[in-house]
Amino acid sequence: MSHRHTRRGRRWEQRSFFGLSEHLERLSAIGDPLETLEATIDFEYFRGWLVEGLGYGDGAKGGRPAFDPVSMFKALILQAQHNLSDAKMEFMIRDRLSWMRFLRFDLGGPTPDENTIRHFRNRLTESGTLRRVMKAFDWQLQKKGYIPMSGQIVDASLVPAPKQRNTDAEKEAIKAGKTAREIWPDEPSKAAQKDVDARWTLKIGGKIRYRPDGTPLAQIALPVFGYKTHIAIDRRFGFIRESAVTSAAHADGRMLPRLVTTQNTSSEVWADSAYRSQTNEKSLAAKMLVSRIHRRKPPGRRMPQHVARANAGKSAIRAAVEHVFAHQKNRFGLFIRTIGLARAEAKLTLANIAYNFDRLIFHERVRAMG
């Protein structure tokens, strides 16, 4: 190669390097939200849990990972915030400079492919590390002064998944609790794509309205196939403190004992009428918690005015939990793309962690404004 071409190549590399630096500086000047996320969340705080939970500490369980576990965890948060498939996530990491900077990958260097992303998420789930990371962040919140206060609000929301087309015999086998491999033993590829954990349910829409004689008006019922995300938030700060995932057909009320804790500074627990039962009332009383659960309308009679007023007051407080679901569905585009309950739980747990990150950014901004 001539000296002229060598000099030209060096000048191009210098322009390319400085051009990239200037481009990133402009992104920062405009206001890169990922820099705000990086500055607000101490991601290094999770390294110990990630390394220990995934077995990367001493090399005894497969050696060190190809990619930094903290960078991979951050990638899963980005994936949850944008509801991306693993293949789309692979592309976006390579395509977006701001994402590469946030994840600390070098331009032109190796980045995780879709199989690596999926494998890392599966290991987080199978080892129980993901739930430990969420609990670790809750400890971090409390150290910052965001202690669970003013009571707990419990609710659930349906999250759709791709519909399954099965024969009547296959549906009966699924209801009987058989696995996909048992139902389709000679079709392993088909079995791998069948979700036998998700269920159909009816979503009753809108507020119940009554005729002058006290009888309820008909409501719209939409069939939904998928899962249900159950959460408990603290009333004061609105962080998700406890969570669980079930099939869409699972009864909301059965999850109350699993979601409420005695860690809140207030003993009050709010929930809609689906959670009211003698079992739940006894469970709350045993934990020295005060029930603020909605009361149901007496069958065949009008709702007493004092009960209606009390329910209305409870609804005003309970509205806070609806904002959580709205944030996840509208901003994250929440939808289950994976197969099976365990992977759905991973998806929704990541969405809960991502929501808590956004919530912390909100509170920190409020603090900074005084």
Side-chain angles (χ1 to χ4, degrees):
M1 183 182 293
S2 68
H3 292 292
R4 180 183 300 174
H5 285 101
T6 301
R7 288 195 297 271
R8 285 180 179 175
R10 288 174 180 171
R11 285 198 300 271
W12 185 89
E13 289 176 359
Q14 289 175 349
R15 288 198 302 272
S16 177
F17 174 78
F18 289 115
L20 175 61
S21 298
E22 291 175 1
H23 185 81
L24 291 174
E25 287 175 3
R26 289 174 184 172
L27 283 177
S28 299
I30 294 171
D32 182 0
L34 294 183
E35 287 192 311
T36 302
L37 180 61
E38 183 80 70
T40 307
I41 308 301
D42 182 7
F43 283 99
E44 280 299 315
Y45 181 82
F46 304 117
R47 182 176 295 278
W49 279 276
L50 293 170
V51 170
E52 180 182 356
L54 297 173
Y56 293 147
D58 56 5
K61 298 182 180 179
R64 294 191 60 80
F67 298 100
D68 180 68
V70 174
S71 294
M72 291 297 296
F73 173 64
K74 291 162 74 174
L76 294 185
I77 295 300
L78 285 178
Q79 185 178 30
Q81 289 178 331
H82 296 82
N83 191 34
L84 300 175
S85 66
D86 294 333
K88 188 65 175 179
M89 189 63 194
E90 175 187 350
F91 173 81
M92 293 300 291
I93 291 174
R94 295 170 185 252
D95 183 65
R96 288 197 176 181
L97 289 175
S98 61
W99 287 28
M100 291 192 73
R101 176 170 66 176
F102 174 66
L103 300 174
R104 300 186 180 180
F105 293 141
D106 294 327
L107 185 64
T111 55
D113 60 20
E114 61 176 301
N115 291 328
T116 302
I117 295 169
R118 179 170 57 253
H119 180 63
F120 183 81
R121 186 177 57 249
N122 288 346
R123 289 190 69 176
L124 279 183
T125 307
E126 293 163 2
S127 64
T129 304
L130 192 56
R131 296 200 67 84
R132 287 195 289 271
V133 166
M134 185 171 182
K135 184 58 66 176
F137 182 62
D138 192 68
W139 296 336
Q140 187 179 144
L141 287 175
Q142 296 193 44
K143 289 180 179 179
K144 288 177 175 288
Y146 298 106
I147 300 170
M149 301 171 65
S150 304
Q152 306 166 69
I153 307 174
V154 178
D155 206 353
S157 184
L158 294 169
V159 183
K163 299 175 183 177
Q164 306 281 296
R165 291 174 173 79
N166 301 314
T167 65
D168 290 340
E170 291 168 344
K171 291 177 182 177
E172 289 301 320
I174 291 173
K175 290 179 181 179
K178 291 187 177 181
T179 66
R181 290 184 180 181
E182 291 173 333
I183 300 172
W184 297 279
D186 302 324
E187 301 175 272
S189 297
K190 183 176 182 179
Q193 297 300 317
K194 288 294 186 178
D195 193 339
V196 297
D197 293 330
R199 292 289 186 274
W200 284 98
T201 191
L202 289 176
K203 180 180 180 180
I204 310 298
K207 182 180 179 181
I208 301 177
R209 301 186 183 279
Y210 299 93
R211 298 185 180 89
D213 62 359
T215 57
L217 292 168
Q219 291 181 281
I220 298 175
L222 298 174
V224 176
F225 180 81
Y227 293 89
K228 190 176 287 185
T229 174
H230 306 259
I231 63 171
I233 69 170
D234 68 285
R235 182 186 172 192
R236 172 63 180 85
F237 297 110
F239 288 106
I240 299 172
R241 302 292 182 169
E242 297 291 336
S243 63
V245 179
T246 65
S247 75
H250 196 92
D252 295 358
R254 294 180 184 176
M255 302 303 295
L256 187 72
R258 180 173 171 181
L259 295 170
V260 297
T261 72
T262 56
Q263 303 303 311
N264 199 286
T265 60
S266 171
S267 61
E268 295 175 299
V269 176
W270 283 268
D272 65 30
S273 59
Y275 294 86
R276 179 166 284 278
S277 68
Q278 291 185 358
T279 300
N280 283 343
E281 294 297 313
K282 290 179 180 179
S283 175
L284 293 178
K287 295 179 180 179
M288 304 296 288
L289 298 174
V290 179
S291 173
R292 300 295 185 213
I293 300 175
H294 280 227
R295 292 188 178 276
R296 295 188 178 95
K297 175 184 172 297
R301 292 183 293 163
R302 290 194 179 197
M303 177 76 79
Q305 286 190 356
H306 71 282
V307 175
R309 285 194 297 268
N311 280 352
K314 294 171 184 175
S315 293
I317 294 172
R318 281 189 52 254
V321 76
E322 297 297 339
H323 299 321
V324 180
F325 295 134
H327 184 102
Q328 291 182 321
K329 292 184 177 181
N330 296 334
R331 294 193 59 182
F332 298 170
L334 207 56
F335 184 84
I336 301 298
R337 302 177 186 274
T338 54
I339 304 295
L341 180 62
R343 293 178 180 178
E345 183 174 3
K347 167 86 174 184
L348 294 171
T349 301
L350 284 164
N352 291 340
I353 295 172
Y355 171 81
N356 279 350
F357 286 177
D358 285 353
R359 190 69 181 171
L360 179 58
I361 291 173
F362 166 77
H363 282 298
E364 291 291 276
R365 283 176 176 167
V366 172
R367 276 186 175 183
M369 292 171 63

PDB file of all heavy atoms in Angstrom, residues 134 138 141 230-234 238-243 324 328 351-353 355-356:
ATOM      1  N   MET A 134     -34.516  -8.486  42.209  1.00  0.00           N
ATOM      2  CA  MET A 134     -35.618  -7.567  42.492  1.00  0.00           C
ATOM      3  C   MET A 134     -35.680  -7.245  43.983  1.00  0.00           C
ATOM      4  O   MET A 134     -35.904  -6.095  44.375  1.00  0.00           O
ATOM      5  CB  MET A 134     -36.945  -8.172  42.032  1.00  0.00           C
ATOM      6  CG  MET A 134     -38.127  -7.210  42.197  1.00  0.00           C
ATOM      7  SD  MET A 134     -39.648  -7.805  41.414  1.00  0.00           S
ATOM      8  CE  MET A 134     -40.745  -6.411  41.783  1.00  0.00           C
ATOM      9  N   ASP A 138     -35.060  -3.643  46.113  1.00  0.00           N
ATOM     10  CA  ASP A 138     -35.948  -3.135  47.156  1.00  0.00           C
ATOM     11  C   ASP A 138     -35.136  -2.701  48.382  1.00  0.00           C
ATOM     12  O   ASP A 138     -35.437  -1.684  49.011  1.00  0.00           O
ATOM     13  CB  ASP A 138     -36.973  -4.205  47.551  1.00  0.00           C
ATOM     14  CG  ASP A 138     -38.089  -3.639  48.417  1.00  0.00           C
ATOM     15  OD1 ASP A 138     -38.887  -2.850  47.903  1.00  0.00           O
ATOM     16  OD2 ASP A 138     -38.145  -3.972  49.617  1.00  0.00           O
ATOM     17  N   LEU A 141     -33.634   0.584  47.575  1.00  0.00           N
ATOM     18  CA  LEU A 141     -34.621   1.650  47.716  1.00  0.00           C
ATOM     19  C   LEU A 141     -34.760   2.082  49.175  1.00  0.00           C
ATOM     20  O   LEU A 141     -34.832   3.279  49.484  1.00  0.00           O
ATOM     21  CB  LEU A 141     -35.984   1.176  47.192  1.00  0.00           C
ATOM     22  CG  LEU A 141     -36.148   1.042  45.689  1.00  0.00           C
ATOM     23  CD1 LEU A 141     -37.514   0.437  45.363  1.00  0.00           C
ATOM     24  CD2 LEU A 141     -36.003   2.397  44.999  1.00  0.00           C
ATOM     25  N   HIS A 230     -49.762 -10.244  39.137  1.00  0.00           N
ATOM     26  CA  HIS A 230     -50.280  -9.821  40.441  1.00  0.00           C
ATOM     27  C   HIS A 230     -49.200  -8.985  41.129  1.00  0.00           C
ATOM     28  O   HIS A 230     -48.033  -9.407  41.192  1.00  0.00           O
ATOM     29  CB  HIS A 230     -50.606 -11.027  41.329  1.00  0.00           C
ATOM     30  CG  HIS A 230     -51.519 -12.027  40.690  1.00  0.00           C
ATOM     31  ND1 HIS A 230     -52.867 -12.097  40.971  1.00  0.00           N
ATOM     32  CD2 HIS A 230     -51.272 -13.021  39.788  1.00  0.00           C
ATOM     33  CE1 HIS A 230     -53.407 -13.075  40.274  1.00  0.00           C
ATOM     34  NE2 HIS A 230     -52.469 -13.645  39.557  1.00  0.00           N
ATOM     35  N   ILE A 231     -49.563  -7.833  41.648  1.00  0.00           N
ATOM     36  CA  ILE A 231     -48.578  -6.978  42.302  1.00  0.00           C
ATOM     37  C   ILE A 231     -49.149  -6.371  43.583  1.00  0.00           C
ATOM     38  O   ILE A 231     -50.365  -6.272  43.754  1.00  0.00           O
ATOM     39  CB  ILE A 231     -48.088  -5.844  41.382  1.00  0.00           C
ATOM     40  CG1 ILE A 231     -49.237  -4.901  41.012  1.00  0.00           C
ATOM     41  CG2 ILE A 231     -47.401  -6.389  40.146  1.00  0.00           C
ATOM     42  CD1 ILE A 231     -48.784  -3.638  40.282  1.00  0.00           C
ATOM     43  N   ALA A 232     -48.241  -5.967  44.452  1.00  0.00           N
ATOM     44  CA  ALA A 232     -48.586  -5.176  45.636  1.00  0.00           C
ATOM     45  C   ALA A 232     -47.641  -3.989  45.663  1.00  0.00           C
ATOM     46  O   ALA A 232     -46.418  -4.168  45.596  1.00  0.00           O
ATOM     47  CB  ALA A 232     -48.442  -6.002  46.908  1.00  0.00           C
ATOM     48  N   ILE A 233     -48.179  -2.773  45.712  1.00  0.00           N
ATOM     49  CA  ILE A 233     -47.359  -1.574  45.769  1.00  0.00           C
ATOM     50  C   ILE A 233     -47.538  -0.895  47.124  1.00  0.00           C
ATOM     51  O   ILE A 233     -48.556  -1.107  47.797  1.00  0.00           O
ATOM     52  CB  ILE A 233     -47.703  -0.585  44.641  1.00  0.00           C
ATOM     53  CG1 ILE A 233     -49.100   0.021  44.854  1.00  0.00           C
ATOM     54  CG2 ILE A 233     -47.596  -1.257  43.287  1.00  0.00           C
ATOM     55  CD1 ILE A 233     -49.420   1.177  43.915  1.00  0.00           C
ATOM     56  N   ASP A 234     -46.546  -0.115  47.519  1.00  0.00           N
ATOM     57  CA  ASP A 234     -46.739   0.675  48.729  1.00  0.00           C
ATOM     58  C   ASP A 234     -47.449   1.970  48.339  1.00  0.00           C
ATOM     59  O   ASP A 234     -47.186   2.548  47.281  1.00  0.00           O
ATOM     60  CB  ASP A 234     -45.404   0.975  49.401  1.00  0.00           C
ATOM     61  CG  ASP A 234     -44.537   1.910  48.591  1.00  0.00           C
ATOM     62  OD1 ASP A 234     -43.959   1.455  47.580  1.00  0.00           O
ATOM     63  OD2 ASP A 234     -44.439   3.092  48.946  1.00  0.00           O
ATOM     64  N   GLY A 238     -45.334   4.108  45.682  1.00  0.00           N
ATOM     65  CA  GLY A 238     -45.819   3.448  44.481  1.00  0.00           C
ATOM     66  C   GLY A 238     -44.876   2.441  43.857  1.00  0.00           C
ATOM     67  O   GLY A 238     -45.046   2.072  42.692  1.00  0.00           O
ATOM     68  N   PHE A 239     -43.883   1.965  44.620  1.00  0.00           N
ATOM     69  CA  PHE A 239     -42.993   0.932  44.097  1.00  0.00           C
ATOM     70  C   PHE A 239     -43.654  -0.443  44.207  1.00  0.00           C
ATOM     71  O   PHE A 239     -44.397  -0.703  45.160  1.00  0.00           O
ATOM     72  CB  PHE A 239     -41.677   0.908  44.872  1.00  0.00           C
ATOM     73  CG  PHE A 239     -40.775   2.081  44.591  1.00  0.00           C
ATOM     74  CD1 PHE A 239     -40.622   3.087  45.533  1.00  0.00           C
ATOM     75  CD2 PHE A 239     -40.094   2.181  43.392  1.00  0.00           C
ATOM     76  CE1 PHE A 239     -39.795   4.167  45.291  1.00  0.00           C
ATOM     77  CE2 PHE A 239     -39.266   3.261  43.136  1.00  0.00           C
ATOM     78  CZ  PHE A 239     -39.118   4.266  44.081  1.00  0.00           C
ATOM     79  N   ILE A 240     -43.364  -1.313  43.250  1.00  0.00           N
ATOM     80  CA  ILE A 240     -43.832  -2.697  43.329  1.00  0.00           C
ATOM     81  C   ILE A 240     -42.968  -3.415  44.360  1.00  0.00           C
ATOM     82  O   ILE A 240     -41.760  -3.568  44.179  1.00  0.00           O
ATOM     83  CB  ILE A 240     -43.729  -3.400  41.965  1.00  0.00           C
ATOM     84  CG1 ILE A 240     -44.591  -2.678  40.929  1.00  0.00           C
ATOM     85  CG2 ILE A 240     -44.155  -4.867  42.092  1.00  0.00           C
ATOM     86  CD1 ILE A 240     -44.407  -3.197  39.515  1.00  0.00           C
ATOM     87  N   ARG A 241     -43.583  -3.841  45.447  1.00  0.00           N
ATOM     88  CA  ARG A 241     -42.836  -4.486  46.533  1.00  0.00           C
ATOM     89  C   ARG A 241     -42.921  -6.006  46.464  1.00  0.00           C
ATOM     90  O   ARG A 241     -42.001  -6.706  46.867  1.00  0.00           O
ATOM     91  CB  ARG A 241     -43.363  -3.995  47.881  1.00  0.00           C
ATOM     92  CG  ARG A 241     -43.286  -2.483  48.068  1.00  0.00           C
ATOM     93  CD  ARG A 241     -41.873  -1.958  48.173  1.00  0.00           C
ATOM     94  NE  ARG A 241     -41.848  -0.512  48.391  1.00  0.00           N
ATOM     95  CZ  ARG A 241     -40.756   0.169  48.727  1.00  0.00           C
ATOM     96  NH1 ARG A 241     -39.599  -0.458  48.878  1.00  0.00           N
ATOM     97  NH2 ARG A 241     -40.809   1.480  48.890  1.00  0.00           N
ATOM     98  N   GLU A 242     -44.046  -6.535  46.002  1.00  0.00           N
ATOM     99  CA  GLU A 242     -44.229  -7.982  45.865  1.00  0.00           C
ATOM    100  C   GLU A 242     -44.926  -8.256  44.544  1.00  0.00           C
ATOM    101  O   GLU A 242     -45.707  -7.415  44.057  1.00  0.00           O
ATOM    102  CB  GLU A 242     -45.058  -8.556  47.016  1.00  0.00           C
ATOM    103  CG  GLU A 242     -44.423  -8.411  48.395  1.00  0.00           C
ATOM    104  CD  GLU A 242     -43.196  -9.277  48.573  1.00  0.00           C
ATOM    105  OE1 GLU A 242     -43.075 -10.300  47.854  1.00  0.00           O
ATOM    106  OE2 GLU A 242     -42.361  -8.948  49.435  1.00  0.00           O
ATOM    107  N   SER A 243     -44.675  -9.434  43.971  1.00  0.00           N
ATOM    108  CA  SER A 243     -45.304  -9.762  42.687  1.00  0.00           C
ATOM    109  C   SER A 243     -45.414 -11.271  42.530  1.00  0.00           C
ATOM    110  O   SER A 243     -44.715 -12.037  43.200  1.00  0.00           O
ATOM    111  CB  SER A 243     -44.494  -9.172  41.525  1.00  0.00           C
ATOM    112  OG  SER A 243     -43.195  -9.753  41.473  1.00  0.00           O
ATOM    113  N   VAL A 324     -49.679   1.884  37.536  1.00  0.00           N
ATOM    114  CA  VAL A 324     -48.562   0.959  37.317  1.00  0.00           C
ATOM    115  C   VAL A 324     -48.817   0.130  36.067  1.00  0.00           C
ATOM    116  O   VAL A 324     -47.964   0.028  35.178  1.00  0.00           O
ATOM    117  CB  VAL A 324     -48.355   0.041  38.530  1.00  0.00           C
ATOM    118  CG1 VAL A 324     -47.198  -0.922  38.280  1.00  0.00           C
ATOM    119  CG2 VAL A 324     -48.100   0.862  39.787  1.00  0.00           C
ATOM    120  N   GLN A 328     -46.835   0.117  32.345  1.00  0.00           N
ATOM    121  CA  GLN A 328     -46.226  -1.070  31.747  1.00  0.00           C
ATOM    122  C   GLN A 328     -46.840  -1.413  30.391  1.00  0.00           C
ATOM    123  O   GLN A 328     -46.130  -1.809  29.466  1.00  0.00           O
ATOM    124  CB  GLN A 328     -46.365  -2.253  32.702  1.00  0.00           C
ATOM    125  CG  GLN A 328     -45.514  -2.116  33.963  1.00  0.00           C
ATOM    126  CD  GLN A 328     -45.632  -3.323  34.875  1.00  0.00           C
ATOM    127  OE1 GLN A 328     -46.706  -3.883  35.042  1.00  0.00           O
ATOM    128  NE2 GLN A 328     -44.529  -3.714  35.484  1.00  0.00           N
ATOM    129  N   ALA A 351     -40.261  -6.661  33.755  1.00  0.00           N
ATOM    130  CA  ALA A 351     -41.106  -5.474  33.560  1.00  0.00           C
ATOM    131  C   ALA A 351     -41.340  -4.758  34.890  1.00  0.00           C
ATOM    132  O   ALA A 351     -41.376  -3.516  34.934  1.00  0.00           O
ATOM    133  CB  ALA A 351     -42.437  -5.872  32.925  1.00  0.00           C
ATOM    134  N   ASN A 352     -41.473  -5.518  35.972  1.00  0.00           N
ATOM    135  CA  ASN A 352     -41.655  -4.909  37.298  1.00  0.00           C
ATOM    136  C   ASN A 352     -40.391  -4.183  37.757  1.00  0.00           C
ATOM    137  O   ASN A 352     -40.455  -3.087  38.332  1.00  0.00           O
ATOM    138  CB  ASN A 352     -42.049  -5.974  38.317  1.00  0.00           C
ATOM    139  CG  ASN A 352     -43.447  -6.526  38.071  1.00  0.00           C
ATOM    140  OD1 ASN A 352     -44.257  -5.901  37.393  1.00  0.00           O
ATOM    141  ND2 ASN A 352     -43.724  -7.698  38.608  1.00  0.00           N
ATOM    142  N   ILE A 353     -39.225  -4.796  37.510  1.00  0.00           N
ATOM    143  CA  ILE A 353     -37.966  -4.141  37.868  1.00  0.00           C
ATOM    144  C   ILE A 353     -37.790  -2.868  37.049  1.00  0.00           C
ATOM    145  O   ILE A 353     -37.403  -1.815  37.583  1.00  0.00           O
ATOM    146  CB  ILE A 353     -36.778  -5.099  37.646  1.00  0.00           C
ATOM    147  CG1 ILE A 353     -36.874  -6.301  38.595  1.00  0.00           C
ATOM    148  CG2 ILE A 353     -35.450  -4.369  37.856  1.00  0.00           C
ATOM    149  CD1 ILE A 353     -35.840  -7.389  38.319  1.00  0.00           C
ATOM    150  N   TYR A 355     -40.101  -1.036  35.753  1.00  0.00           N
ATOM    151  CA  TYR A 355     -41.032  -0.019  36.261  1.00  0.00           C
ATOM    152  C   TYR A 355     -40.469   0.649  37.510  1.00  0.00           C
ATOM    153  O   TYR A 355     -40.525   1.877  37.651  1.00  0.00           O
ATOM    154  CB  TYR A 355     -42.398  -0.632  36.582  1.00  0.00           C
ATOM    155  CG  TYR A 355     -43.286   0.362  37.305  1.00  0.00           C
ATOM    156  CD1 TYR A 355     -43.974   1.336  36.596  1.00  0.00           C
ATOM    157  CD2 TYR A 355     -43.372   0.373  38.703  1.00  0.00           C
ATOM    158  CE1 TYR A 355     -44.747   2.285  37.254  1.00  0.00           C
ATOM    159  CE2 TYR A 355     -44.139   1.319  39.357  1.00  0.00           C
ATOM    160  CZ  TYR A 355     -44.828   2.266  38.634  1.00  0.00           C
ATOM    161  OH  TYR A 355     -45.569   3.223  39.287  1.00  0.00           O
ATOM    162  N   ASN A 356     -39.930  -0.151  38.428  1.00  0.00           N
ATOM    163  CA  ASN A 356     -39.363   0.416  39.654  1.00  0.00           C
ATOM    164  C   ASN A 356     -38.197   1.349  39.350  1.00  0.00           C
ATOM    165  O   ASN A 356     -38.004   2.362  40.033  1.00  0.00           O
ATOM    166  CB  ASN A 356     -38.934  -0.696  40.602  1.00  0.00           C
ATOM    167  CG  ASN A 356     -40.095  -1.272  41.395  1.00  0.00           C
ATOM    168  OD1 ASN A 356     -41.204  -0.731  41.391  1.00  0.00           O
ATOM    169  ND2 ASN A 356     -39.868  -2.372  42.079  1.00  0.00           N
TER     170      ASN A 356
END
